[in-house]
Amino acid sequence: MARIAKKSGAYHHGDLRRVLLETAVRVVEHEGLSALSLQALSKRAGVSSGAPYHHFESREQLLAAIAEQGFQLLTAEMKRCAALAGRDAASELRGLGEGYLRFALAHRGHFRVMFRPELQDHLSKSCAAPGEDSFDMLRASVQRCQAEGLARPGDPMPLVLVAWAGVHGASTLWIDGSLGSKRMVPSEDILVDMVARTLVELITGKR
Amino acid sequence: MARIAKKSGAYHHGDLRRVLLETAVRVVEHEGLSALSLQALSKRAGVSSGAPYHHFESREQLLAAIAEQGFQLLTAEMKRCAALAGRDAASELRGLGEGYLRFALAHRGHFRVMFRPELQDHLSKSCAAPGEDSFDMLRASVQRCQAEGLARPGDPMPLVLVAWAGVHGASTLWIDGSLGSKRMVPSEDILVDMVARTLVELITGKR
DNA sequence: TGTACATCAGTGAACGCGCGTTCACTGATGTAC
DNA sequence: TGTACATCAGTGAACGCGCGTTCACTGATGTAC
């Protein structure tokens, strides 16, 4: 917002870091991570090829920044959906699942970067604990279901793991296009609802 | 087996296609898909950089061949584990889930390639219906559970989707190292057992 | 069984290309006095 | 308020590199007679 459209040749963009991140996320979303090059990115953002290096040490650091942002957005969306879904334990759990799915489908660029294996090492240092927040929310919610007698008692971990894997797997399959030929899920909204609802029904034993 | 170790300078390898596929799978498994280059692959296989083009039209076609092989191995492993698990409907379903997980963890190279989004278009033409076989097995097994009154009646699709997403998500998270920091799954074998067992217990309503 | 030849699957140098990154530079902005 | 200067964030050419792919070639194998 500092300055938007001064003539070309400007030596102070003012908002380049944000623009680079946004553009990169769009490229990853539409063309995949391997199609993201800093040179092409710079061109799209309207700056020279050296400019990004004033904001990111390397391509890898730019990806790490995207991932970090992604994990924050994920947590936020899960909180938002959980609050929206209702106050009882089952609704809360369903909301968290919906939030995970909605985030993944709405921010595919972020999502693709966040779980790249080659970034995991790097990530677990920069983000103190990537995804730990959202994972903890899920676990707490499952435990609440157990405490209220909705879910089976005992070790919550198998339930948490299945819930996490379920929403993650559904997101991955949909985003990667592997569900396309399975003619079972007509739309994103139905996918989100179906997966989150079914998972909670199974966990809380509702028949 | 045709010939193994004739001196260098040989103009007939005899088994190059298979060696290239195996080597490529190993590279993808240990260094990721983006680290797979045909030039490096040729060097590892001990042939010149032009040799692979007598067996594959392009890098993409080599990947497609890996994926196709992967889907066949996946189906085979699911069948094998299902047969091993037992004859009743619940055991069969658990076996199929175990098979999916075991395949994914034992053949990470294949698994990574099979679900790459950039290959999906290409795949759905070459493999008639990639993953359709294994998906159908899962669906049939869920339907059998329904028919025998073990799973809730009605549309099987939500249950199939959750089962598929569950095993796929768990595989992906483990392989990509995203479960590493979640200190909940100590080993591969326990992961396989925990996910497959829990999914079946939830679907069949066992408490 | 021996010879002529087509075919097949190798070789290895070469191509153009795009990549991540560097660097000497430039000029706009902010600060001290 | 005006001037000198440090700093910050741009430029754009250049680097070396590895990539996918091509191509003229070579020699081993299989086949016909």
Side-chain angles (χ1 to χ4, degrees):
Chain A
M1 186 63 65
R3 42 119 289 169
I4 294 289
K6 210 175 273 185
K7 289 287 160 18
S8 66
Y11 277 76
H12 280 74
H13 182 288
D15 207 14
L16 184 54
R17 191 188 143 94
R18 195 174 58 80
V19 169
L20 286 174
L21 285 175
E22 283 175 6
T23 311
V25 164
R26 258 201 312 276
V27 171
V28 174
E29 177 171 343
H30 292 111
E31 296 160 57
L33 183 48
S34 62
L36 179 73
S37 85
L38 289 192
Q39 293 191 351
L41 181 63
S42 305
K43 189 176 254 182
R44 282 207 204 207
V47 293
S48 75
S49 60
Y53 288 89
H54 287 279
H55 299 277
F56 304 98
E57 274 184 23
S58 64
R59 179 181 189 270
E60 206 188 17
Q61 292 274 2
L62 179 134
L63 292 180
I66 291 176
E68 199 170 348
Q69 197 179 74
F71 279 111
Q72 286 165 11
L73 289 171
L74 170 61
T75 308
E77 182 68 1
M78 287 174 74
K79 278 195 180 125
R80 194 184 71 84
C81 288
L84 227 66
R87 289 221 182 73
D88 61 290
S91 297
E92 179 191 79
L93 184 59
R94 202 190 68 233
L96 291 176
E98 275 181 20
Y100 195 103
L101 287 155
R102 284 200 192 289
F103 165 79
L105 304 191
H107 300 87
R108 300 169 189 219
H110 284 99
F111 192 74
R112 282 225 176 92
V113 174
M114 288 157 67
F115 295 97
R116 275 294 146 123
E118 63 266 32
L119 258 77
Q120 294 308 111
D121 288 346
H122 200 265
L123 267 181
S124 51
K125 286 161 200 159
S126 80
C127 312
E132 203 76 14
D133 284 351
S134 33
F135 185 81
D136 285 345
M137 286 164 56
L138 204 59
R139 190 184 52 206
S141 188
V142 166
Q143 285 175 319
R144 189 181 158 207
C145 287
Q146 289 181 308
E148 299 187 10
L150 295 169
R152 67 178 196 191
D155 185 6
M157 277 312 175
L159 297 179
V160 179
L161 179 58
V162 163
W164 182 268
V167 291
H168 186 80
S171 303
T172 307
L173 287 168
W174 179 268
I175 288 177
D176 289 352
S178 311
L179 241 38
S181 61
K182 304 287 176 304
R183 55 206 170 327
M184 56 190 288
V185 188
S187 78
E188 280 194 17
D189 282 342
I190 291 179
L191 176 78
V192 171
D193 189 70
M194 190 185 278
V195 172
R197 178 185 304 277
T198 306
L199 269 171
V200 172
E201 285 174 0
L202 292 178
I203 288 174
T204 61
K206 185 188 159 199
R207 281 292 171 283
Chain B
M1 187 61 67
R3 44 117 286 171
I4 295 289
K6 211 175 273 186
K7 292 286 161 19
S8 66
Y11 276 76
H12 281 72
H13 182 287
D15 208 14
L16 185 54
R17 190 187 143 95
R18 194 174 58 79
V19 169
L20 286 174
L21 285 175
E22 282 175 7
T23 312
V25 164
R26 257 201 314 276
V27 171
V28 173
E29 177 172 344
H30 293 112
E31 297 161 55
L33 183 48
S34 62
L36 179 74
S37 85
L38 289 194
Q39 293 192 349
L41 179 62
S42 306
K43 189 175 256 181
R44 281 206 204 209
V47 293
S48 75
S49 60
Y53 289 89
H54 287 280
H55 299 277
F56 304 98
E57 275 184 21
S58 64
R59 179 181 189 271
E60 206 188 18
Q61 292 274 1
L62 179 133
L63 293 180
I66 291 176
E68 199 170 348
Q69 196 179 76
F71 280 111
Q72 285 165 12
L73 289 172
L74 171 60
T75 308
E77 182 68 1
M78 287 174 74
K79 278 195 179 125
R80 193 183 73 84
C81 288
L84 226 66
R87 289 221 181 75
D88 60 290
S91 297
E92 179 191 81
L93 183 59
R94 201 191 68 232
L96 291 175
E98 275 181 20
Y100 195 104
L101 287 155
R102 284 200 193 289
F103 165 78
L105 304 191
H107 300 88
R108 301 171 188 215
H110 284 99
F111 191 75
R112 281 224 176 93
V113 174
M114 288 158 67
F115 295 98
R116 274 295 146 122
E118 63 267 33
L119 258 77
Q120 295 307 112
D121 288 345
H122 200 265
L123 268 181
S124 52
K125 286 161 201 160
S126 80
C127 311
E132 202 76 14
D133 284 351
S134 35
F135 184 81
D136 285 345
M137 285 164 56
L138 204 60
R139 190 184 51 207
S141 187
V142 165
Q143 285 175 319
R144 188 180 159 208
C145 287
Q146 289 181 308
E148 298 186 10
L150 295 168
R152 69 177 194 193
D155 185 6
M157 276 315 176
L159 297 179
V160 179
L161 180 59
V162 163
W164 183 268
V167 290
H168 186 82
S171 303
T172 307
L173 287 168
W174 179 268
I175 288 177
D176 290 352
S178 310
L179 240 39
S181 61
K182 304 286 174 304
R183 55 203 171 328
M184 56 188 290
V185 187
S187 79
E188 281 194 15
D189 283 340
I190 291 179
L191 176 78
V192 171
D193 189 69
M194 189 185 280
V195 172
R197 179 186 304 277
T198 307
L199 270 172
V200 172
E201 285 174 1
L202 292 179
I203 287 175
T204 61
K206 184 187 160 199
R207 280 293 170 283

